[in-house]
Coordinates of all heavy atoms in Angstrom, one line a residue:
I247 N 114.1 121.7 85.5 CA 114.9 121.5 84.2 C 114.2 120.5 83.3 O 114.2 120.7 82.1 CB 116.3 120.9 84.6 CG1 117.1 122.0 85.2 CG2 117.0 120.4 83.3 CD1 118.5 121.7 85.7
I248 N 113.5 119.5 83.8 CA 112.7 118.7 83.0 C 111.6 119.4 82.3 O 111.3 119.3 81.1 CB 112.1 117.5 83.9 CG1 113.2 116.5 84.3 CG2 111.1 116.7 83.1 CD1 112.8 115.5 85.2
G249 N 111.0 120.3 83.1 CA 109.9 121.2 82.5 C 110.4 122.1 81.4 O 109.8 122.3 80.4
I250 N 111.6 122.6 81.6 CA 112.3 123.5 80.6 C 112.6 122.7 79.3 O 112.3 123.2 78.2 CB 113.6 124.0 81.2 CG1 113.3 125.1 82.2 CG2 114.5 124.6 80.0 CD1 114.5 125.5 83.0
L251 N 113.0 121.5 79.4 CA 113.3 120.7 78.2 C 112.0 120.3 77.5 O 112.0 120.2 76.3 CB 114.1 119.4 78.6 CG 115.6 119.7 79.2 CD1 116.2 118.4 79.6 CD2 116.4 120.3 78.2
A252 N 111.0 120.1 78.3 CA 109.7 119.8 77.7 C 109.1 121.0 76.9 O 108.6 120.8 75.8 CB 108.6 119.4 78.7
D253 N 109.4 122.2 77.4 CA 108.9 123.3 76.7 C 109.8 123.5 75.5 O 109.2 123.9 74.4 CB 109.1 124.6 77.6 CG 108.2 124.7 78.8 OD1 107.1 123.9 78.6 OD2 108.4 125.4 79.8
L254 N 111.0 123.2 75.5 CA 111.9 123.3 74.4 C 111.3 122.5 73.2 O 111.3 122.9 72.1 CB 113.4 122.9 74.8 CG 114.3 122.7 73.6 CD1 114.7 124.0 73.0 CD2 115.6 122.0 74.1
R255 N 111.1 121.2 73.5 CA 110.6 120.4 72.5 C 109.2 120.8 72.0 O 109.0 120.8 70.7 CB 110.5 119.0 73.1 CG 109.5 118.1 72.6 CD 109.6 116.7 73.0 NE 108.8 116.4 74.2 CZ 108.4 115.2 74.5 NH1 108.7 114.1 73.6 NH2 107.7 115.0 75.5
R256 N 108.4 121.3 72.9 CA 107.0 121.8 72.5 C 107.1 123.0 71.6 O 106.3 123.1 70.6 CB 106.2 122.0 73.7 CG 104.7 122.3 73.4 CD 103.9 122.2 74.6 NE 104.5 122.9 75.8 CZ 104.9 122.4 76.9 NH1 104.9 121.0 76.9 NH2 105.4 123.0 77.9
N257 N 108.0 124.0 72.0 CA 108.0 125.3 71.3 C 108.9 125.2 70.0 O 108.6 126.0 69.0 CB 108.5 126.3 72.2 CG 107.6 126.6 73.4 OD1 106.4 126.3 73.3 ND2 108.1 126.9 74.5
F258 N 109.9 124.4 69.9 CA 110.8 124.5 68.9 C 111.1 123.2 68.1 O 111.8 123.1 67.2 CB 112.2 124.9 69.4 CG 112.2 126.3 70.0 CD1 112.4 126.4 71.4 CD2 112.1 127.4 69.3 CE1 112.3 127.6 72.0 CE2 112.0 128.6 69.9 CZ 112.2 128.8 71.2
D259 N 110.2 122.1 68.4 CA 110.3 120.9 67.9 C 111.7 120.2 67.9 O 112.1 119.6 66.9 CB 109.8 120.9 66.4 CG 109.1 119.7 65.9 OD1 108.6 118.9 66.7 OD2 109.1 119.5 64.7
T260 N 112.4 120.5 68.9 CA 113.8 120.0 69.1 C 113.8 118.5 69.4 O 113.0 118.1 70.3 CB 114.5 120.8 70.2 OG1 114.5 122.2 69.8 CG2 115.9 120.3 70.3
S261 N 114.7 117.7 68.9 CA 114.9 116.3 69.2 C 116.0 116.3 70.3 O 116.9 117.0 70.3 CB 115.4 115.6 68.0 OG 114.4 115.6 67.0
L262 N 115.8 115.3 71.2 CA 116.7 115.2 72.4 C 117.1 113.8 72.7 O 116.3 112.9 72.8 CB 115.9 115.8 73.6 CG 116.7 116.1 74.9 CD1 117.6 117.3 74.7 CD2 115.8 116.5 76.0
L263 N 118.4 113.6 72.8 CA 119.0 112.4 73.3 C 119.4 112.6 74.7 O 120.3 113.3 75.1 CB 120.2 112.0 72.5 CG 120.9 110.7 73.0 CD1 120.0 109.5 72.8 CD2 122.2 110.5 72.1
F264 N 118.5 112.0 75.6 CA 118.6 112.3 77.1 C 119.4 111.2 77.7 O 118.9 110.1 77.9 CB 117.2 112.5 77.7 CG 117.2 113.1 79.0 CD1 116.7 114.4 79.1 CD2 117.6 112.5 80.1 CE1 116.6 115.1 80.3 CE2 117.6 113.1 81.3 CZ 117.0 114.4 81.5
I265 N 120.7 111.4 78.1 CA 121.5 110.4 78.8 C 121.3 110.5 80.3 O 121.5 111.6 80.8 CB 123.0 110.6 78.4 CG1 123.1 110.5 76.9 CG2 123.9 109.6 79.1 CD1 124.5 110.8 76.3
T266 N 120.9 109.5 81.0 CA 120.7 109.5 82.4 C 120.8 108.2 83.0 O 120.7 107.1 82.4 CB 119.3 110.2 82.6 OG1 119.0 110.3 84.1 CG2 118.2 109.3 82.0
H267 N 121.0 108.2 84.4 CA 120.9 107.0 85.2 C 119.5 106.9 85.9 O 119.2 105.8 86.4 CB 121.9 107.0 86.3 CG 123.4 106.8 85.8 ND1 124.2 107.8 85.6 CD2 124.0 105.7 85.5 CE1 125.3 107.3 85.2 NE2 125.2 106.1 85.1
N268 N 118.8 107.9 85.7 CA 117.5 108.1 86.5 C 116.3 107.5 85.7 O 115.9 108.2 84.7 CB 117.3 109.6 86.9 CG 116.2 109.7 87.9 OD1 115.2 108.9 87.9 ND2 116.4 110.6 88.8
L269 N 115.9 106.4 86.0 CA 114.7 105.8 85.2 C 113.5 106.6 85.5 O 112.6 106.5 84.6 CB 114.6 104.3 85.6 CG 115.8 103.4 85.2 CD1 115.4 102.0 85.7 CD2 116.0 103.4 83.7
G270 N 113.3 107.2 86.6 CA 112.1 107.9 86.9 C 112.0 109.1 85.9 O 110.9 109.4 85.5
I271 N 113.1 109.8 85.6 CA 113.1 110.8 84.6 C 112.8 110.4 83.3 O 112.0 111.0 82.5 CB 114.5 111.6 84.7 CG1 114.7 112.3 85.9 CG2 114.6 112.5 83.4 CD1 116.1 113.0 86.0
V272 N 113.3 109.2 82.9 CA 112.9 108.6 81.6 C 111.5 108.4 81.6 O 110.8 108.7 80.5 CB 113.7 107.3 81.4 CG1 113.2 106.6 80.1 CG2 115.2 107.6 81.3
A273 N 110.8 107.8 82.6 CA 109.4 107.6 82.6 C 108.6 108.9 82.4 O 107.5 108.9 81.8 CB 109.0 106.9 83.8
E274 N 109.1 110.0 83.0 CA 108.3 111.2 82.9 C 108.5 112.1 81.6 O 107.7 112.7 81.2 CB 108.8 112.0 84.2 CG 108.0 113.3 84.3 CD 108.4 114.1 85.6 OE1 109.0 113.5 86.4 OE2 107.9 115.2 85.7
A275 N 109.8 112.0 81.2 CA 110.2 113.0 80.2 C 110.5 112.5 78.8 O 110.6 113.3 77.9 CB 111.4 113.8 80.6
C276 N 110.5 111.2 78.6 CA 111.0 110.6 77.3 C 109.9 109.9 76.6 O 109.0 109.3 77.3 CB 112.1 109.6 77.5 SG 113.6 110.3 78.3
D277 N 109.9 109.8 75.3 CA 109.0 109.1 74.5 C 109.5 107.6 74.2 O 108.6 106.7 74.4 CB 108.9 109.7 73.1 CG 108.5 111.2 73.2 OD1 107.4 111.4 73.7 OD2 109.2 112.0 72.7
R278 N 110.7 107.4 74.0 CA 111.2 106.1 73.8 C 112.5 106.0 74.7 O 113.1 106.9 75.2 CB 111.6 105.9 72.4 CG 110.4 105.7 71.4 CD 110.8 105.3 70.0 NE 111.7 106.2 69.4 CZ 112.9 105.9 69.0 NH1 113.4 104.6 69.2 NH2 113.6 106.8 68.4
V279 N 113.0 104.7 75.0 CA 114.1 104.5 75.8 C 115.0 103.5 75.1 O 114.5 102.5 74.5 CB 113.7 104.0 77.2 CG1 112.8 102.7 77.2 CG2 114.9 103.8 78.2
A280 N 116.3 103.6 75.2 CA 117.3 102.7 74.7 C 118.1 102.3 75.9 O 118.7 103.1 76.6 CB 118.1 103.3 73.6
V281 N 118.3 101.0 76.2 CA 119.0 100.5 77.3 C 120.3 100.0 76.8 O 120.5 99.1 75.9 CB 118.2 99.3 77.9 CG1 119.0 98.7 79.1 CG2 116.9 99.7 78.4
M282 N 121.5 100.5 77.2 CA 122.7 100.3 76.7 C 123.5 99.4 77.8 O 123.5 99.7 79.0 CB 123.5 101.6 76.5 CG 124.7 101.5 75.6 SD 125.2 103.1 75.0 CE 126.6 102.5 73.9
Y283 N 124.3 98.5 77.2 CA 125.1 97.7 78.1 C 126.3 97.2 77.3 O 126.2 96.7 76.2 CB 124.3 96.3 78.6 CG 125.2 95.5 79.5 CD1 125.3 95.9 80.8 CD2 125.9 94.4 79.1 CE1 126.0 95.2 81.7 CE2 126.6 93.6 80.0 CZ 126.7 94.0 81.4 OH 127.4 93.3 82.2
A284 N 127.5 97.5 77.9 CA 128.9 97.1 77.3 C 129.0 97.5 75.8 O 129.3 96.7 75.0 CB 129.0 95.6 77.5
G285 N 128.6 98.8 75.5 CA 128.7 99.3 74.1 C 127.7 98.9 73.1 O 127.7 99.3 72.0
R286 N 126.6 98.2 73.6 CA 125.5 97.8 72.8 C 124.2 98.3 73.3 O 124.0 98.4 74.5 CB 125.4 96.3 72.6 CG 126.7 95.6 72.1 CD 126.7 95.7 70.6 NE 125.6 95.0 69.9 CZ 125.5 95.0 68.6 NH1 126.5 95.5 67.9 NH2 124.4 94.4 68.0
I287 N 123.2 98.6 72.4 CA 121.8 98.9 72.8 C 121.1 97.5 72.8 O 120.9 97.0 71.7 CB 121.1 99.9 72.0 CG1 121.8 101.3 72.1 CG2 119.7 99.9 72.2 CD1 121.1 102.4 71.3
V288 N 120.8 97.0 74.0 CA 120.3 95.7 74.2 C 118.7 95.6 74.1 O 118.2 94.6 73.7 CB 120.8 95.0 75.4 CG1 122.3 94.8 75.5 CG2 120.3 95.8 76.7

Side-chain angles (χ1 to χ4, degrees):
I247 289 177
I248 291 173
I250 288 168
L251 295 175
D253 290 340
L254 170 70
R255 148 170 96 152
R256 184 165 51 249
N257 296 331
F258 300 108
D259 211 23
T260 301
S261 302
L262 193 67
L263 178 62
F264 198 108
I265 301 171
T266 182
H267 289 95
N268 192 326
L269 295 177
I271 290 179
V272 173
E274 182 177 351
C276 299
D277 302 301
R278 293 188 297 121
V279 59
V281 182
M282 197 164 182
Y283 185 78
R286 300 282 300 183
I287 290 180
V288 296

